[in-house]
Coordinates of all heavy atoms in Angstrom, one line a residue:
V287 N -23.3 -8.0 2.3 CA -22.8 -9.2 1.6 C -23.9 -10.2 1.5 O -24.2 -10.7 0.4 CB -21.6 -9.8 2.3 CG1 -21.2 -11.1 1.7 CG2 -20.5 -8.8 2.3
L288 N -24.7 -10.4 2.6 CA -25.7 -11.4 2.5 C -26.9 -11.0 1.6 O -27.6 -11.9 1.1 CB -26.2 -11.7 4.0 CG -25.3 -12.5 4.8 CD1 -25.9 -12.6 6.2 CD2 -25.1 -13.9 4.2
D289 N -27.1 -9.7 1.5 CA -28.2 -9.3 0.6 C -28.0 -9.9 -0.8 O -28.9 -10.2 -1.5 CB -28.3 -7.8 0.5 CG -28.9 -7.2 1.8 OD1 -29.8 -8.0 2.4 OD2 -28.6 -6.1 2.1
G290 N -26.7 -9.9 -1.3 CA -26.4 -10.5 -2.6 C -26.7 -12.0 -2.7 O -27.1 -12.5 -3.7
Y291 N -26.6 -12.7 -1.6 CA -26.8 -14.1 -1.6 C -28.3 -14.5 -1.3 O -28.7 -15.6 -1.5 CB -25.9 -14.9 -0.6 CG -24.5 -14.9 -1.1 CD1 -23.5 -14.1 -0.6 CD2 -24.1 -15.8 -2.1 CE1 -22.2 -14.2 -1.1 CE2 -22.9 -15.9 -2.6 CZ -21.9 -15.1 -2.1 OH -20.6 -15.2 -2.6
A292 N -29.0 -13.6 -0.6 CA -30.3 -13.9 -0.2 C -31.2 -14.3 -1.3 O -32.1 -15.2 -1.2 CB -30.9 -12.7 0.6
G293 N -31.1 -13.7 -2.5 CA -31.9 -14.1 -3.6 C -31.3 -15.2 -4.4 O -31.8 -15.7 -5.4
G294 N -30.1 -15.6 -4.0 CA -29.4 -16.7 -4.8 C -28.5 -16.2 -5.8 O -27.8 -17.0 -6.5
E295 N -28.4 -14.9 -6.0 CA -27.5 -14.4 -7.0 C -26.0 -14.6 -6.5 O -25.8 -14.5 -5.3 CB -27.7 -12.9 -7.3 CG -29.0 -12.6 -7.8 CD -30.1 -12.3 -6.7 OE1 -29.7 -12.1 -5.6 OE2 -31.2 -12.5 -7.0
G296 N -25.2 -14.9 -7.4 CA -23.8 -15.1 -7.0 C -23.4 -16.5 -6.6 O -22.2 -16.8 -6.3
I297 N -24.3 -17.4 -6.5 CA -24.0 -18.8 -6.2 C -23.9 -19.6 -7.4 O -24.9 -19.7 -8.2 CB -25.1 -19.4 -5.2 CG1 -25.1 -18.6 -3.9 CG2 -24.9 -20.8 -5.0 CD1 -26.2 -19.0 -3.0
E298 N -22.7 -20.0 -7.7 CA -22.4 -20.8 -8.9 C -22.3 -22.3 -8.6 O -22.0 -22.7 -7.5 CB -21.2 -20.2 -9.5 CG -21.2 -18.8 -9.9 CD -22.2 -18.4 -10.9 OE1 -22.5 -19.3 -11.8 OE2 -22.8 -17.3 -10.9
E299 N -22.5 -23.1 -9.6 CA -22.3 -24.5 -9.5 C -20.9 -24.9 -9.0 O -20.8 -25.8 -8.2 CB -22.6 -25.2 -10.9 CG -23.1 -26.6 -10.8 CD -24.4 -26.7 -10.1 OE1 -25.4 -26.0 -10.5 OE2 -24.5 -27.5 -9.2
A300 N -19.9 -24.2 -9.4 CA -18.6 -24.5 -9.0 C -18.4 -24.2 -7.5 O -17.7 -25.0 -6.8 CB -17.5 -23.7 -9.8
D301 N -19.1 -23.2 -7.0 CA -19.0 -22.9 -5.5 C -19.6 -24.0 -4.7 O -19.1 -24.5 -3.7 CB -19.7 -21.6 -5.2 CG -19.1 -20.4 -5.9 OD1 -17.9 -20.4 -6.1 OD2 -19.9 -19.5 -6.2
V302 N -20.8 -24.5 -5.2 CA -21.5 -25.6 -4.5 C -20.6 -26.9 -4.5 O -20.5 -27.6 -3.5 CB -22.9 -25.8 -5.1 CG1 -23.6 -27.0 -4.5 CG2 -23.7 -24.6 -4.9
E303 N -20.1 -27.2 -5.7 CA -19.3 -28.4 -5.8 C -18.1 -28.3 -4.9 O -17.7 -29.3 -4.2 CB -18.9 -28.5 -7.3 CG -18.1 -29.8 -7.5 CD -17.7 -30.0 -9.0 OE1 -18.2 -29.2 -9.9 OE2 -16.9 -30.9 -9.3
R304 N -17.4 -27.2 -4.9 CA -16.2 -27.0 -4.0 C -16.6 -27.2 -2.5 O -15.9 -27.9 -1.8 CB -15.6 -25.7 -4.2 CG -14.3 -25.5 -3.5 CD -13.6 -24.1 -3.8 NE -14.5 -23.0 -3.9 CZ -14.9 -22.4 -5.1 NH1 -14.5 -22.9 -6.2 NH2 -15.7 -21.4 -5.0
T305 N -17.7 -26.7 -2.1 CA -18.2 -26.8 -0.7 C -18.6 -28.2 -0.4 O -18.2 -28.7 0.7 CB -19.3 -25.8 -0.5 OG1 -18.9 -24.5 -0.8 CG2 -19.8 -25.9 1.0
V306 N -19.3 -28.8 -1.3 CA -19.7 -30.2 -1.1 C -18.5 -31.1 -0.9 O -18.4 -32.0 0.0 CB -20.6 -30.7 -2.2 CG1 -20.7 -32.2 -2.2 CG2 -22.0 -30.1 -2.1
N307 N -17.5 -30.9 -1.8 CA -16.3 -31.8 -1.8 C -15.5 -31.5 -0.5 O -15.0 -32.5 0.1 CB -15.4 -31.5 -3.0 CG -16.0 -32.1 -4.2 OD1 -16.7 -33.1 -4.2 ND2 -15.6 -31.6 -5.4
A308 N -15.5 -30.3 0.0 CA -14.8 -30.0 1.3 C -15.5 -30.7 2.4 O -14.8 -31.3 3.3 CB -14.7 -28.5 1.5
V309 N -16.8 -30.6 2.5 CA -17.5 -31.2 3.6 C -17.4 -32.7 3.5 O -17.1 -33.4 4.6 CB -19.0 -30.8 3.5 CG1 -19.9 -31.6 4.5 CG2 -19.2 -29.3 3.8
R310 N -17.5 -33.3 2.3 CA -17.4 -34.7 2.2 C -16.0 -35.2 2.6 O -15.8 -36.2 3.3 CB -17.6 -35.2 0.7 CG -19.1 -35.1 0.4 CD -19.3 -35.6 -1.1 NE -19.0 -37.0 -1.1 CZ -18.1 -37.6 -1.9 NH1 -17.4 -36.8 -2.8 NH2 -17.9 -38.9 -1.9
G311 N -15.0 -34.5 2.2 CA -13.6 -34.8 2.6 C -13.4 -34.8 4.1 O -12.8 -35.7 4.6
R312 N -13.9 -33.8 4.8 CA -13.8 -33.7 6.2 C -14.5 -34.9 6.9 O -14.0 -35.5 7.8 CB -14.3 -32.4 6.8 CG -13.3 -31.3 6.6 CD -13.8 -30.1 7.4 NE -15.1 -29.5 7.0 CZ -15.3 -28.7 6.1 NH1 -14.3 -28.2 5.3 NH2 -16.5 -28.3 5.8
Q313 N -15.7 -35.2 6.4 CA -16.5 -36.3 7.0 C -15.8 -37.6 6.8 O -15.8 -38.5 7.7 CB -17.9 -36.3 6.5 CG -18.7 -35.2 6.9 CD -19.0 -35.1 8.4 OE1 -19.2 -36.2 9.0 NE2 -18.8 -34.0 9.0
I314 N -15.3 -37.9 5.6 CA -14.6 -39.1 5.3 C -13.3 -39.2 6.2 O -13.0 -40.3 6.7 CB -14.3 -39.2 3.8 CG1 -15.7 -39.5 3.1 CG2 -13.4 -40.4 3.5 CD1 -15.6 -39.3 1.6
M315 N -12.6 -38.1 6.3 CA -11.3 -38.2 7.1 C -11.6 -38.5 8.5 O -10.8 -39.1 9.2 CB -10.5 -36.8 6.9 CG -9.9 -36.6 5.6 SD -8.7 -37.9 5.2 CE -7.4 -37.6 6.3
R316 N -12.7 -38.0 9.0 CA -13.1 -38.2 10.4 C -13.4 -39.7 10.7 O -13.3 -40.2 11.8 CB -14.3 -37.4 10.8 CG -14.0 -36.0 11.0 CD -15.3 -35.2 11.4 NE -15.0 -33.8 11.5 CZ -15.8 -32.8 11.2 NH1 -17.1 -33.1 10.9 NH2 -15.5 -31.6 11.4
R317 N -13.7 -40.4 9.6 CA -14.0 -41.9 9.7 C -12.8 -42.8 9.4 O -13.0 -44.0 9.2 CB -15.2 -42.2 8.8 CG -16.5 -41.7 9.3 CD -17.5 -41.8 8.2 NE -18.9 -41.5 8.7 CZ -19.4 -40.3 8.9 NH1 -18.6 -39.2 8.7 NH2 -20.6 -40.1 9.4
M318 N -11.6 -42.2 9.4 CA -10.4 -43.0 9.1 C -10.0 -44.0 10.2 O -9.7 -45.1 9.9 CB -9.3 -42.1 8.7 CG -9.4 -41.3 7.5 SD -9.5 -42.3 6.0 CE -7.8 -42.7 5.9
S319 N -10.0 -43.6 11.4 CA -9.6 -44.5 12.5 C -10.7 -45.4 12.9 O -11.9 -45.1 12.7 CB -9.1 -43.7 13.7 OG -10.2 -43.1 14.4
R320 N -10.3 -46.5 13.4 CA -11.3 -47.5 13.9 C -12.2 -46.9 15.1 O -13.3 -47.2 15.1 CB -10.6 -48.8 14.4 CG -10.0 -49.6 13.3 CD -11.0 -50.2 12.4 NE -10.3 -51.0 11.4 CZ -10.9 -51.5 10.4 NH1 -12.2 -51.2 10.1 NH2 -10.3 -52.2 9.5
V321 N -11.5 -46.1 15.9 CA -12.2 -45.5 17.0 C -13.3 -44.6 16.5 O -14.5 -44.7 16.9 CB -11.3 -44.8 18.0 CG1 -12.0 -44.0 19.0 CG2 -10.3 -45.7 18.6
N322 N -13.0 -43.8 15.5 CA -14.0 -42.9 15.0 C -15.1 -43.6 14.1 O -16.2 -43.2 14.1 CB -13.3 -41.8 14.1 CG -12.7 -40.7 14.9 OD1 -12.9 -40.7 16.1 ND2 -11.9 -39.9 14.3
Q323 N -14.7 -44.7 13.5 CA -15.7 -45.5 12.8 C -16.7 -46.1 13.8 O -17.9 -46.0 13.5 CB -15.0 -46.7 12.0 CG -14.2 -46.2 10.8 CD -13.4 -47.4 10.2 OE1 -13.7 -48.5 10.5 NE2 -12.5 -47.0 9.3
A324 N -16.2 -46.6 14.9 CA -17.1 -47.1 15.9 C -18.0 -46.0 16.5 O -19.2 -46.2 16.7 CB -16.3 -47.8 17.0
Y325 N -17.4 -44.8 16.7 CA -18.1 -43.7 17.2 C -19.3 -43.3 16.3 O -20.4 -43.2 16.7 CB -17.2 -42.5 17.4 CG -17.9 -41.2 17.7 CD1 -18.4 -41.0 19.0 CD2 -18.1 -40.2 16.7 CE1 -19.0 -39.8 19.3 CE2 -18.7 -39.0 17.1 CZ -19.2 -38.8 18.3 OH -19.8 -37.6 18.6
F326 N -19.0 -43.2 15.0 CA -20.1 -42.8 14.0 C -21.1 -43.9 13.8 O -22.3 -43.6 13.7 CB -19.5 -42.4 12.7 CG -18.9 -41.0 12.8 CD1 -17.5 -40.8 12.8 CD2 -19.7 -39.9 12.8 CE1 -16.9 -39.5 12.9 CE2 -19.1 -38.6 12.9 CZ -17.8 -38.4 12.9
L327 N -20.7 -45.2 13.9 CA -21.7 -46.2 13.8 C -22.6 -46.2 15.1 O -23.8 -46.4 15.0 CB -21.0 -47.6 13.7 CG -20.3 -47.9 12.4 CD1 -19.5 -49.1 12.5 CD2 -21.3 -47.9 11.2
G328 N -22.0 -45.9 16.2 CA -22.8 -45.8 17.4 C -23.8 -44.6 17.3 O -24.9 -44.7 17.8
L329 N -23.4 -43.5 16.7 CA -24.3 -42.4 16.5 C -25.5 -42.7 15.6 O -26.6 -42.4 15.9 CB -23.5 -41.2 15.9 CG -22.6 -40.4 16.8 CD1 -22.0 -39.2 16.1 CD2 -23.4 -39.8 18.1
D330 N -25.2 -43.5 14.6 CA -26.2 -44.0 13.7 C -27.2 -44.8 14.5 O -28.5 -44.7 14.4 CB -25.7 -44.8 12.6 CG -24.9 -44.0 11.6 OD1 -25.0 -42.8 11.6 OD2 -24.1 -44.6 10.8
R331 N -26.7 -45.7 15.3 CA -27.6 -46.6 16.1 C -28.4 -45.8 17.1 O -29.6 -46.0 17.3 CB -26.8 -47.7 16.8 CG -26.1 -48.6 15.9 CD -27.1 -49.4 15.1 NE -27.9 -50.3 15.9 CZ -28.8 -51.1 15.5 NH1 -29.2 -51.1 14.2 NH2 -29.4 -51.9 16.3
L332 N -27.8 -44.8 17.8 CA -28.5 -44.0 18.8 C -29.6 -43.2 18.1 O -30.7 -42.9 18.7 CB -27.5 -43.0 19.5 CG -26.7 -43.6 20.6 CD1 -25.6 -42.6 21.0 CD2 -27.6 -44.0 21.7
A333 N -29.4 -42.8 16.9 CA -30.4 -42.1 16.1 C -31.5 -43.0 15.6 O -32.5 -42.5 14.9 CB -29.8 -41.3 15.0
G334 N -31.4 -44.3 15.8 CA -32.4 -45.2 15.3 C -32.2 -45.6 13.9 O -33.2 -46.1 13.2
E335 N -31.1 -45.3 13.3 CA -30.8 -45.6 11.9 C -29.9 -46.9 11.8 O -29.3 -47.3 12.7 CB -30.1 -44.4 11.3 CG -31.0 -43.2 11.3 CD -30.2 -41.9 10.8 OE1 -29.0 -41.9 10.8 OE2 -30.9 -41.0 10.4
Q336 N -29.8 -47.4 10.6 CA -28.9 -48.5 10.3 C -27.5 -48.0 10.3 O -27.2 -46.9 10.0 CB -29.2 -49.1 8.9 CG -30.6 -49.8 8.8 CD -30.7 -51.0 9.7 OE1 -29.7 -51.7 9.8 NE2 -31.8 -51.1 10.4
P337 N -26.6 -48.9 10.8 CA -25.2 -48.5 10.7 C -24.8 -48.1 9.3 O -25.1 -48.8 8.3 CB -24.4 -49.8 11.2 CG -25.4 -50.5 12.0 CD -26.8 -50.2 11.3
G338 N -24.0 -47.0 9.2 CA -23.6 -46.5 7.9 C -24.6 -45.5 7.3 O -24.3 -44.9 6.2
A339 N -25.6 -45.1 8.0 CA -26.6 -44.1 7.5 C -25.9 -42.8 7.3 O -26.2 -42.0 6.4 CB -27.8 -44.0 8.4
G340 N -24.9 -42.5 8.2 CA -24.2 -41.2 8.2 C -23.4 -41.1 6.9 O -23.4 -40.0 6.3
L341 N -22.8 -42.2 6.5 CA -22.1 -42.2 5.2 C -23.0 -42.0 4.0 O -22.6 -41.3 3.0 CB -21.2 -43.5 5.0 CG -19.9 -43.5 5.7 CD1 -19.2 -44.8 5.5 CD2 -19.0 -42.4 5.2
E342 N -24.2 -42.5 4.1 CA -25.2 -42.3 3.0 C -25.6 -40.8 2.9 O -25.7 -40.3 1.8 CB -26.4 -43.2 3.2 CG -26.2 -44.6 2.9 CD -25.8 -44.8 1.4 OE1 -26.4 -44.2 0.5 OE2 -24.9 -45.6 1.3
R343 N -25.7 -40.2 4.1 CA -26.0 -38.7 4.0 C -24.8 -38.0 3.4 O -25.0 -37.0 2.7 CB -26.2 -38.2 5.5 CG -27.6 -38.6 6.0 CD -27.9 -37.8 7.3 NE -27.0 -38.2 8.4 CZ -27.2 -39.2 9.1 NH1 -28.1 -40.1 8.9 NH2 -26.3 -39.4 10.1
V344 N -23.6 -38.4 3.7 CA -22.4 -37.7 3.1 C -22.5 -37.9 1.6 O -22.2 -37.0 0.8 CB -21.1 -38.3 3.7 CG1 -19.9 -37.8 2.9 CG2 -21.0 -37.9 5.2
R345 N -22.8 -39.1 1.1 CA -22.9 -39.4 -0.3 C -24.0 -38.6 -1.0 O -23.9 -38.2 -2.1 CB -23.1 -40.9 -0.6 CG -21.9 -41.7 -0.4 CD -22.2 -43.2 -0.9 NE -21.1 -44.0 -0.3 CZ -21.4 -44.8 0.7 NH1 -22.6 -45.0 1.2 NH2 -20.4 -45.6 1.2
S346 N -25.1 -38.4 -0.2 CA -26.2 -37.6 -0.8 C -25.9 -36.2 -1.1 O -26.6 -35.5 -1.8 CB -27.4 -37.8 0.2 OG -27.2 -37.0 1.3
L347 N -24.8 -35.7 -0.5 CA -24.4 -34.3 -0.8 C -24.1 -34.1 -2.2 O -24.2 -33.0 -2.8 CB -23.2 -33.9 0.1 CG -23.5 -33.7 1.6 CD1 -22.2 -33.5 2.3 CD2 -24.5 -32.6 1.8
L348 N -23.7 -35.2 -2.9 CA -23.3 -35.1 -4.3 C -24.5 -34.7 -5.2 O -24.3 -34.2 -6.3 CB -22.8 -36.4 -4.8 CG -21.4 -36.9 -4.3 CD1 -21.1 -38.3 -4.6 CD2 -20.4 -35.9 -4.7
K349 N -25.7 -34.8 -4.7 CA -26.9 -34.5 -5.4 C -27.3 -33.0 -5.3 O -28.1 -32.5 -6.0 CB -28.1 -35.3 -4.9 CG -27.9 -36.8 -5.1 CD -29.1 -37.5 -4.6 CE -28.8 -39.0 -4.6 NZ -29.9 -39.8 -3.9
V350 N -26.6 -32.3 -4.4 CA -26.9 -30.8 -4.2 C -26.4 -30.0 -5.3 O -25.3 -30.1 -5.7 CB -26.3 -30.4 -2.8 CG1 -26.6 -28.9 -2.6 CG2 -26.9 -31.2 -1.6
R351 N -27.3 -29.2 -5.8 CA -26.9 -28.3 -6.9 C -27.2 -26.8 -6.5 O -27.8 -26.5 -5.5 CB -27.8 -28.6 -8.2 CG -27.6 -30.0 -8.7 CD -26.2 -30.1 -9.4 NE -25.9 -31.4 -9.7 CZ -24.8 -32.1 -9.2 NH1 -24.0 -31.4 -8.4 NH2 -24.5 -33.3 -9.5
A352 N -26.6 -25.9 -7.3 CA -26.8 -24.5 -7.0 C -28.2 -24.1 -7.0 O -28.6 -23.3 -6.2 CB -26.0 -23.6 -8.1
D353 N -29.1 -24.6 -7.8 CA -30.5 -24.3 -7.8 C -31.1 -24.7 -6.5 O -32.0 -24.0 -6.0 CB -31.2 -25.1 -8.9 CG -30.9 -24.5 -10.3 OD1 -30.4 -23.3 -10.4 OD2 -31.0 -25.2 -11.3
D354 N -30.7 -25.8 -5.9 CA -31.2 -26.2 -4.6 C -30.8 -25.2 -3.5 O -31.7 -24.8 -2.7 CB -30.6 -27.6 -4.2 CG -31.0 -28.7 -5.2 OD1 -32.1 -28.7 -5.7 OD2 -30.1 -29.6 -5.4
V355 N -29.6 -24.8 -3.6 CA -29.1 -23.8 -2.6 C -29.9 -22.5 -2.7 O -30.3 -21.9 -1.8 CB -27.6 -23.5 -2.7 CG1 -27.2 -22.4 -1.8 CG2 -26.9 -24.8 -2.4
R356 N -30.1 -22.0 -4.0 CA -30.9 -20.8 -4.2 C -32.3 -20.9 -3.7 O -32.8 -20.0 -3.1 CB -30.9 -20.5 -5.7 CG -29.5 -20.0 -6.2 CD -29.7 -19.5 -7.7 NE -28.4 -19.7 -8.3 CZ -28.0 -20.6 -9.2 NH1 -28.9 -21.5 -9.5 NH2 -26.8 -20.7 -9.7
R357 N -32.9 -22.0 -3.9 CA -34.3 -22.3 -3.5 C -34.4 -22.2 -2.0 O -35.3 -21.6 -1.4 CB -34.8 -23.6 -4.0 CG -36.2 -24.0 -3.6 CD -36.6 -25.3 -4.1 NE -35.6 -26.4 -4.1 CZ -35.3 -27.1 -3.0 NH1 -35.9 -26.9 -1.9 NH2 -34.4 -28.1 -3.1
V358 N -33.5 -22.9 -1.3 CA -33.5 -22.9 0.2 C -33.2 -21.5 0.7 O -33.8 -21.0 1.7 CB -32.5 -23.9 0.7 CG1 -32.3 -23.8 2.2 CG2 -33.0 -25.3 0.3
L359 N -32.2 -20.8 0.1 CA -31.9 -19.4 0.6 C -33.2 -18.5 0.5 O -33.4 -17.8 1.4 CB -30.8 -18.8 -0.3 CG -29.4 -19.2 0.1 CD1 -28.4 -18.6 -0.9 CD2 -29.1 -18.6 1.5
K360 N -33.9 -18.6 -0.6 CA -35.1 -17.7 -0.8 C -36.1 -18.1 0.3 O -36.8 -17.2 0.7 CB -35.6 -17.9 -2.2 CG -34.8 -17.2 -3.3 CD -35.4 -17.5 -4.6 CE -34.5 -16.9 -5.7 NZ -35.0 -17.2 -7.0
K361 N -36.2 -19.4 0.6 CA -37.2 -19.8 1.6 C -36.9 -19.5 3.0 O -37.7 -19.0 3.8 CB -37.5 -21.3 1.4 CG -38.6 -21.8 2.2 CD -38.8 -23.3 1.9 CE -40.0 -23.8 2.8 NZ -40.3 -25.2 2.5
Y362 N -35.6 -19.6 3.4 CA -35.3 -19.5 4.8 C -34.4 -18.3 5.2 O -34.4 -18.0 6.4 CB -34.5 -20.8 5.3 CG -35.4 -22.0 5.2 CD1 -35.2 -23.0 4.2 CD2 -36.4 -22.2 6.1 CE1 -36.0 -24.1 4.1 CE2 -37.2 -23.4 6.1 CZ -37.0 -24.3 5.1 OH -37.8 -25.4 5.0
L363 N -33.8 -17.6 4.3 CA -32.9 -16.5 4.7 C -33.6 -15.2 4.5 O -33.9 -14.8 3.4 CB -31.6 -16.5 4.0 CG -30.6 -15.5 4.4 CD1 -30.2 -15.7 5.8 CD2 -29.4 -15.5 3.5
D364 N -34.0 -14.6 5.6 CA -34.7 -13.3 5.5 C -33.7 -12.2 6.1 O -33.5 -12.1 7.3 CB -36.0 -13.3 6.4 CG -36.8 -12.0 6.4 OD1 -36.3 -11.1 5.6 OD2 -37.8 -12.0 7.0
T365 N -33.1 -11.5 5.1 CA -32.1 -10.6 5.5 C -32.7 -9.4 6.3 O -31.9 -8.7 7.0 CB -31.3 -10.1 4.3 OG1 -32.2 -9.5 3.4 CG2 -30.5 -11.2 3.6
S366 N -34.0 -9.2 6.3 CA -34.5 -8.1 7.0 C -34.5 -8.3 8.5 O -34.6 -7.4 9.3 CB -36.0 -7.8 6.6 OG -36.8 -8.9 7.0
K367 N -34.3 -9.6 8.9 CA -34.2 -9.9 10.4 C -32.8 -10.1 10.9 O -32.6 -10.5 12.0 CB -35.0 -11.2 10.6 CG -36.5 -11.1 10.3 CD -37.2 -12.4 10.6 CE -38.7 -12.2 10.2 NZ -39.4 -13.5 10.5
L368 N -31.8 -9.7 10.1 CA -30.4 -9.8 10.5 C -30.0 -8.6 11.2 O -30.5 -7.5 10.9 CB -29.5 -10.1 9.3 CG -29.8 -11.4 8.5 CD1 -28.8 -11.5 7.3 CD2 -29.5 -12.6 9.5
A369 N -29.0 -8.7 12.0 CA -28.5 -7.5 12.7 C -27.0 -7.4 12.3 O -26.3 -8.4 12.0 CB -28.5 -7.7 14.2
V370 N -26.6 -6.1 12.2 CA -25.2 -5.8 11.9 C -24.4 -5.5 13.2 O -24.9 -4.7 14.0 CB -25.0 -4.7 10.9 CG1 -23.6 -4.3 10.7 CG2 -25.7 -5.0 9.6
V371 N -23.4 -6.2 13.5 CA -22.6 -6.0 14.7 C -21.2 -5.5 14.3 O -20.5 -6.2 13.5 CB -22.5 -7.3 15.5 CG1 -21.7 -7.1 16.7 CG2 -23.9 -7.8 15.9
V372 N -20.8 -4.4 14.9 CA -19.5 -3.9 14.6 C -18.6 -4.1 15.9 O -19.0 -3.6 17.0 CB -19.5 -2.4 14.3 CG1 -18.1 -1.8 14.1 CG2 -20.4 -2.2 13.0
V373 N -17.5 -4.7 15.8 CA -16.6 -5.0 16.9 C -15.4 -4.1 16.7 O -14.7 -4.2 15.7 CB -16.3 -6.5 17.1 CG1 -15.3 -6.7 18.2 CG2 -17.5 -7.3 17.2
R374 N -15.1 -3.3 17.7 CA -13.9 -2.5 17.6 C -12.9 -2.8 18.7 O -13.2 -3.2 19.8 CB -14.2 -1.0 17.7 CG -15.1 -0.6 16.5 CD -15.5 0.8 16.7 NE -16.5 1.1 15.7 CZ -16.7 2.2 15.1 NH1 -16.0 3.2 15.4 NH2 -17.7 2.4 14.2

């Protein structure tokens, strides 16, 4: 299965958009309560970033396109180094 994706074939713009929207939705829902808002603002400060930097990263996902995913797959995913594991 991964061999088909290693070269970027089979990755469509709609797939990337659906995945980005799912990730953004989860991240935004996690920030709904005041406790979680404080938690994520604290994480930003611990990382040395301005409060709200995490939300900026979530917004930046909107810029990701299928071509970006294909380029990264070709660069970082080497299917020759993968192992197949069968669990019975």
Side-chain angles (χ1 to χ4, degrees):
V287 173
L288 284 175
D289 286 330
Y291 286 105
E295 298 85 22
I297 296 176
E298 302 297 329
E299 206 65 51
D301 300 327
V302 173
E303 183 178 348
R304 184 175 44 255
T305 302
V306 164
N307 287 335
V309 170
R310 287 183 67 237
R312 281 192 301 274
Q313 291 296 318
I314 291 169
M315 289 300 291
R316 287 182 182 149
R317 288 169 169 80
M318 292 293 286
S319 74
R320 293 286 184 198
V321 170
N322 282 350
Q323 288 174 14
Y325 171 76
F326 283 106
L327 289 173
L329 285 180
D330 291 340
R331 295 300 288 176
L332 282 172
E335 299 174 336
Q336 292 296 318
L341 277 176
E342 284 302 316
R343 282 192 298 278
V344 171
R345 283 189 200 106
S346 71
L347 290 174
L348 291 171
K349 298 176 186 174
V350 175
R351 297 289 169 239
D353 290 336
D354 300 324
V355 175
R356 287 186 206 103
R357 178 178 43 80
V358 170
L359 276 174
K360 287 178 185 175
K361 185 173 181 178
Y362 293 106
L363 184 63
D364 183 1
T365 56
S366 68
K367 296 181 180 179
L368 297 177
V370 176
V371 177
V372 178
V373 179
R374 295 179 192 211

